[in-house]
Amino acid sequence: MTDPVPPSQLRVSDAERALVETRLRRAVEVGQLELGEFDQRAALTWAARTRADLAAVTADLGPLPPPEMTAASRQDVRAHVFSDTGGGTAMRVLSTIWVCAFVVNVVTWGAVSLGTGDLVFPWPLFVLSPGAVLLTLYLVGIGRPRR
């Protein structure tokens, strides 16, 4: 019977090589490697046959620092009013239509009131009820992103 192959001598796949190359790219981003070193190590990564060969490429690299939360990424997290689900898309579309209809009604009412020189009945108030329905649905949780 043959002896089992030690884990360090197992052959590696292209997927494992790609993971190591991604780790090397991240090391360049945080300043652990220079571009010249990255090129050399990437070539060694794709030439590696065993897990031991692959481990040697990153053996002297320390752990990566956690990714920083930049102001742009924080703003991007807050910028999502609606979720990316079907309910969020529906709420986004319906809210956009409602806002446009309300604005058109208010502008038209204002123009008619200014044109006649008298305040006419504020019919844009009738357009508030669909907006109230949309707000209620949003507050219930339809289309709202999960935090």
Side-chain angles (χ1 to χ4, degrees), residues 14-144:
D14 285 343
E16 292 171 294
R17 290 182 188 102
L19 285 173
V20 172
E21 184 176 358
T22 301
R23 166 65 173 95
L24 292 173
R25 287 181 196 282
R26 181 84 168 96
V28 171
E29 289 174 9
V30 298
Q32 288 180 337
L33 287 178
E34 294 178 357
L35 283 177
E37 290 176 293
F38 169 78
D39 289 339
Q40 293 168 354
R41 290 180 187 222
L44 290 172
T45 298
W46 289 101
R49 291 181 176 215
T50 64
R51 288 190 177 159
D53 296 339
L54 213 48
V57 174
T58 58
D60 64 334
L61 298 176
L64 289 172
E68 292 182 17
M69 182 75 122
T70 62
S73 62
R74 268 188 236 112
Q75 222 172 8
D76 190 38
V77 168
R78 284 188 230 132
H80 296 292
V81 176
F82 298 107
S83 66
D84 291 331
T85 63
T89 302
M91 289 295 287
R92 185 179 308 113
V93 169
L94 291 173
S95 297
T96 302
I97 292 170
W98 177 79
V99 167
C100 291
F102 185 72
V103 168
V104 165
N105 271 276
V106 169
V107 169
T108 305
W109 173 76
V112 168
S113 293
L114 285 175
T116 61
D118 190 24
L119 282 178
V120 290
F121 180 78
W123 73 78
L125 293 177
F126 295 123
V127 184
L128 288 178
S129 57
V133 170
L134 287 173
L135 179 62
T136 302
L137 290 173
Y138 185 79
L139 291 176
V140 167
I142 298 175
R144 194 168 17 165

